[in-house]
């Protein structure tokens, strides 16, 4: 059963904490992406990776970090430097850059 | 700044009618165009993509692309209440953006029984 999984579904963070969101895909896709969605807003690109061991900043990378040590995995860390992290976080993958992207179910992060 | 513009809606149509969703984009170098459907609280789901000028049909959905006018649309025939969702237009950034997609903010569609 191929697809993209994200965990956890809901995450609560205290002020000053770092948290890591998981994204795994078994579609054998080269490219993976992290987006943030705020109410009434479009998707904003945080980071993307077109190949293992390489990743690039998107439009709103400040306060976030990623790694791409395996083709299947692209975890996102929301650091304490991100001042307004409450949002819906979406991971996506595509067979290659510029191809259609497929999304995981998302993680809803709330800062307490 | 590359932009994708959509009317935020809500667009309300009666059941059985044709819903027409529109999108304009700023980057003439864009080559790939996508429509996603997003139900409230859920992640986006790909429903159509189009690369060439003209129409592309898939079941009740038709995507239309006019590169000269930098315009892409989605028609939903025989609209059903289950089509009520937010529809996101996405455009390949082209140029130096390495193929990243730029998303519009979405049009909320409401299909009334």
């Amino acid at each position: 059963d191929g697809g993209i999984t994200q965990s956890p579904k809901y995450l609560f963070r205290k002020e000053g904490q770092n948290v890591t969101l998981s994204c795994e895909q078994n579609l054998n896709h080269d490219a993976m992406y992290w987006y943030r969605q705020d109410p009434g807003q479009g998707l904003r690109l945080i980071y993307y990776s077109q190949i293992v061991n390489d990743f690039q900043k998107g439009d709103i990378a400040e306060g976030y970090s990623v790694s791409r040590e395996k083709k299947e995995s692209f975890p996102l860390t929301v650091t304490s430097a991100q001042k307004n992290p409450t949002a819906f976080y979406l991971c996506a993958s595509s067979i290659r850059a510029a191809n259609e992207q497929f999304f995981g179910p998302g993680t809803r992060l709330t800062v307490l | 700044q590359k932009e994708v513009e959509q009317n935020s809606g809500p667009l309300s149509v009666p059941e059985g009618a044709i819903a027409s969703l529109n999108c304009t984009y700023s980057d003439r170098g864009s080559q790939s165009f996508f429509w996603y459907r997003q139900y409230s609280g859920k992640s986006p789901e790909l429903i159509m993509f189009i690369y060439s000028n003209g129409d592309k049909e898939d079941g009740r959905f038709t995507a239309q692309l006019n590169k000269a006018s930098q315009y892409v649309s989605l028609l939903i025939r025989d609209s059903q209440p289950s089509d009520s969702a937010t529809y996101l237009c996405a455009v390949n950034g082209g140029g130096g953006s390495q193929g990243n997609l730029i998303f519009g903010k979405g049009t909320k569609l409401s299909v009334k029984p």
Side-chain angles (χ1 to χ4, degrees):
Chain A
D1 190 19
I4 305 171
T5 59
Q6 291 186 244
S7 62
K9 186 175 181 180
Y10 298 98
L11 185 57
F12 299 92
R13 191 192 94 166
K14 294 181 180 179
E15 294 281 352
Q17 269 186 340
N18 292 352
V19 292
T20 297
L21 283 58
S22 170
C23 178
E24 304 276 335
Q25 55 96 2
N26 62 3
L27 300 169
N28 200 32
H29 285 176
D30 285 334
M32 297 186 74
Y33 310 82
W34 274 105
Y35 294 91
R36 168 182 173 143
Q37 188 176 39
D38 295 281
Q41 299 295 314
L43 277 65
R44 292 186 290 169
L45 183 64
I46 304 173
Y47 268 98
Y48 62 99
S49 168
Q50 295 184 338
I51 197 168
V52 176
N53 292 322
D54 186 53
F55 51 82
Q56 305 295 329
K57 292 182 179 180
D59 301 319
I60 56 164
E62 185 175 351
Y64 300 97
S65 66
V66 294
S67 63
R68 186 88 186 276
E69 296 176 0
K70 298 187 299 182
K71 188 175 185 177
E72 301 80 16
S73 178
F74 192 40
L76 174 74
T77 296
V78 184
T79 75
S80 57
Q82 171 48 239
K83 297 306 179 188
N84 186 23
T86 295
F88 188 37
Y89 289 86
L90 291 159
C91 178
S93 71
S94 62
I95 191 163
R96 285 178 295 279
N99 287 92
E100 59 272 22
Q101 295 180 16
F102 298 93
F103 286 84
T107 292
R108 201 166 294 278
L109 173 62
T110 302
V111 174
L112 301 175
Chain B
Q1 179 76 357
K2 298 172 184 175
E3 295 182 336
V4 175
E5 300 285 344
Q6 295 182 256
N7 188 325
S8 62
L11 172 65
S12 183
V13 300
E15 184 175 355
I18 296 175
S20 177
L21 305 162
N22 305 315
C23 173
T24 59
Y25 59 96
S26 63
D27 184 2
R28 284 196 172 274
S30 298
Q31 297 295 321
S32 311
F33 307 86
F34 307 87
W35 283 100
Y36 288 84
R37 176 176 62 199
Q38 186 175 23
Y39 292 113
S40 180
K42 302 296 186 182
S43 62
E45 172 192 9
L46 179 70
I47 52 174
M48 291 284 290
F49 59 88
I50 186 167
Y51 301 141
S52 303
N53 273 331
D55 295 359
K56 179 181 179 181
E57 188 174 315
D58 184 0
R60 294 186 298 114
F61 298 99
T62 299
Q64 299 175 318
L65 175 61
N66 184 327
K67 290 186 178 179
S69 299
Q70 295 174 244
Y71 177 94
V72 58
S73 64
L74 179 70
L75 301 178
I76 306 175
R77 290 182 299 281
D78 189 23
S79 295
Q80 301 297 309
S82 59
D83 294 325
S84 297
T86 297
Y87 289 80
L88 304 175
C89 173
V91 176
N92 165 251
S97 71
Q98 301 181 343
N100 293 332
L101 298 187
I102 302 169
F103 285 82
K105 294 183 179 181
T107 298
K108 188 171 184 178
L109 173 67
S110 177
V111 181
K112 305 293 187 184

